[in-house]
Amino acid sequence: MPFRAITGHRPLLELLSRAVRRGTLPPSLLFAGPHGVGKRLTAVALAQALNCERHVEYSTRPTSGGDPGGNDACGECAACSRIARGVHADVLIVEPGDSGSIKIEQIRDVVERTGYRPFEGRRRVVIIDGADALGLPAQDAILKTLEEPPSASVFVLITDRPDVLLPTVRSRVQRLRFAPLPPGDVAALLIRDHGMSAAEAHAAAAASDGSVGRAIDGSADGAMEARDVAARLLQGAAGSMDPRRRLDAAKLLTGGGSDRDELSRRLLALSSLIRDLGVLGARADGRTLANADLEPQLQSLLRSYDGDRALRAFSAVDRALAALDRNASPKIVADWLALNI
Ligand SMILES: [Zn+2]
């Protein structure tokens, strides 16, 4: 997938594509950021941009001032398609095996291969996905190569936990930070690439912390159901101050059972809805809504949840989540929250 097909991360992609065009790409890179936001996709796109046989221009800005955009891959030539299929001889992907770690032999193998000139492409690209799974000996083994990579090679280390890498490794790589994706982007991607309905996609995106990977895992875990319950609770709490009714609403949250994970999912969905009420109340940019598909419902809740109440409700959900983490009984947490929201 070329740079232009990747969701989000525009400034970063622009930086990379320009460095490819100018030939100024640092030879050792670290892609750091949360799981499931597109770090590996970007590394593969970079390998394509470096080896594409008929690159195209990448630019997100209107072309003016004569500044050409960066280089992007065509996505269709033999090199691009071999890289996409993972069979290009010069694009090596190293990842943890069944043991969960990357073995020193895997590292010795790629280091040795970078000693030769590329076979079919212009640049050899070594992608180490899950670099935090490198043991200390493996990190030691790669240090020298990261410092002085063979001229035709580029190393890309990928991790969501850069801090577990040795400081000596971190100091030899240029770190690029990938941010979580806005919920709207996650939802659009789930609809486009994963065939989800709008409601499913928005519910999963709202609970995803900006990670497509997590959204996909979460959607199987009942994100939509959790959001539905959370919305009904808010609706109920908005309309009634009567404590008995509110305690009835608490039963909605626990489903009458005591499943901690389920309650926690529903509380997270609640928190995301209340955050959106805050966004709408402040008349902030509607594109930042996590639950954009529920905007009409949220607008009608705004009458009850003015700024102060939304803020109190938000912090109540936060306290409820913390109590649940500390092992409080789900029923007590749900009851308390229903009275305080
Ligand atoms: Zn190409």
Side-chain angles (χ1 to χ4, degrees), residues 48 51-55 73-81:
Q48 287 181 317
N51 284 298
C52 177
E53 292 158 13
R54 42 168 199 266
H55 64 79
C74 73
E76 288 161 2
C77 69
C80 281
S81 93

Side-chain angles (χ1 to χ4, degrees), residues 4 11 24 155 181 261 296 319 331:
R4 62 190 174 282
T24 54
F155 279 78
L181 295 167
D261 292 341
R319 285 181 63 186
K331 179 176 177 332

Side-chain angles (χ1 to χ4, degrees), residues 219-243:
S219 71
D221 263 351
M224 198 155 139
E225 194 264 346
R227 190 177 69 150
D228 187 48
V229 168
R232 274 160 44 211
L233 179 82
L234 272 182
Q235 213 98 49
S240 166
M241 288 312 213
D242 175 5

Side-chain angles (χ1 to χ4, degrees), residues 58-333:
Y58 176 83
S59 178
T60 53
R61 293 181 215 152
T63 47
S64 65
D67 182 22
N71 281 7
D72 197 3
C74 73
E76 288 161 2
C77 69
C80 281
S81 93
R82 290 171 67 74
I83 292 170
R85 284 181 289 129
V87 296
H88 193 286
D90 297 313
V91 178
L92 313 175
I93 297 186
V94 181
E95 51 197 337
D98 293 339
S99 66
S101 65
I102 297 177
K103 300 241 159 57
I104 188 163
E105 294 78 24
Q106 292 172 271
I107 293 304
R108 287 201 181 118
D109 180 49
V110 292
V111 166
E112 193 189 320
R113 286 164 78 175
T114 53
Y116 302 99
R117 294 166 54 83
F119 294 109
E120 52 177 311
R122 294 186 193 94
R123 299 291 288 276
R124 181 171 284 112
V125 182
V126 178
I127 299 171
I128 303 183
D129 191 3
D132 45 274
L134 289 164
L136 293 186
Q139 292 191 44
D140 265 337
I142 204 170
L143 266 185
K144 212 177 141 24
T145 311
L146 290 178
E147 190 162 51
E148 291 172 35
S151 62
S153 293
V154 177
F155 279 78
V156 183
L157 275 57
I158 300 176
T159 180
D160 51 5
R161 297 186 303 155
D163 298 338
V164 308
L165 294 173
L166 287 173
T168 42
V169 169
R170 290 202 304 262
S171 69
R172 283 165 171 80
V173 293
Q174 179 85 48
R175 185 194 296 213
L176 295 180
R177 209 180 296 274
F178 284 66
L181 295 167
D185 282 3
V186 175
L189 206 143
L190 293 174
I191 294 168
R192 187 191 73 184
D193 294 348
H194 298 274
M196 287 191 192
S197 70
E200 241 180 330
H202 281 286
S208 72
D209 269 344
S211 153
V212 177
R214 199 186 285 194
I216 292 167
D217 298 345
S219 71
D221 263 351
M224 198 155 139
E225 194 264 346
R227 190 177 69 150
D228 187 48
V229 168
R232 274 160 44 211
L233 179 82
L234 272 182
Q235 213 98 49
S240 166
M241 288 312 213
D242 175 5
R244 267 170 316 173
R245 288 196 139 167
R246 289 204 162 209
L247 288 175
D248 281 342
K251 291 194 190 115
L252 254 182
L253 266 183
T254 57
S258 58
D259 185 333
R260 211 164 266 284
D261 292 341
E262 188 167 87
L263 178 58
S264 152
R265 265 199 304 280
R266 290 170 178 181
L267 293 181
L268 286 171
L270 195 54
S271 162
S272 149
L273 290 170
I274 298 171
R275 183 193 155 278
D276 279 358
L277 286 172
V279 171
L280 287 174
R283 296 195 166 71
D285 184 355
R287 279 173 305 177
T288 63
L289 287 183
N291 303 279
D293 59 319
L294 297 187
E295 190 175 343
Q297 268 166 278
L298 290 168
Q299 287 287 5
S300 75
L301 279 172
L302 260 189
R303 279 191 295 277
S304 311
Y305 285 89
D306 58 12
D308 280 356
R309 187 172 171 196
L311 201 64
R312 281 197 307 274
F314 191 74
S315 96
V317 176
D318 214 42
R319 285 181 63 186
L321 277 164
L324 204 59
D325 269 350
R326 287 193 310 266
N327 250 348
S329 133
K331 179 176 177 332
I332 291 176
V333 170

